[in-house]
Amino acid sequence: HISADTAFCSIAAGYQHPTIGFYGINYPDMKDCFSHLPLNKNAFYIRNKNPQLVKHEEILELVK
């Protein structure tokens, strides 16, 4: 499952489903988005980065 900062990452976390999630800085005073990451031992998160700036190489590396 690939998701960008949506409830679907939380749903996937409930089932421990393999997930790649994109989480950016959503508020002016936010320094890190760690508090928004659902707990999922099978997830890989790209954090603190605008999802539109993520390169396809980064995603492919996580898939491997």
Side-chain angles (χ1 to χ4, degrees), residues 23-41:
Y23 284 82
I25 301 295
N26 298 321
Y27 306 103
D29 61 343
M30 191 176 197
K31 304 251 187 284
D32 192 311
C33 63
F34 71 91
S35 63
H36 294 170
L37 305 178
L39 297 177
N40 181 350
K41 66 181 179 184

Side-chain angles (χ1 to χ4, degrees), residues 1 3 6-16 19 23 36-40 45:
H1 175 71
S3 184
T6 67
F8 291 106
C9 273
S10 295
I11 295 166
Y15 294 97
Q16 297 297 298
T19 302
Y23 284 82
H36 294 170
L37 305 178
L39 297 177
N40 181 350
Y45 297 119

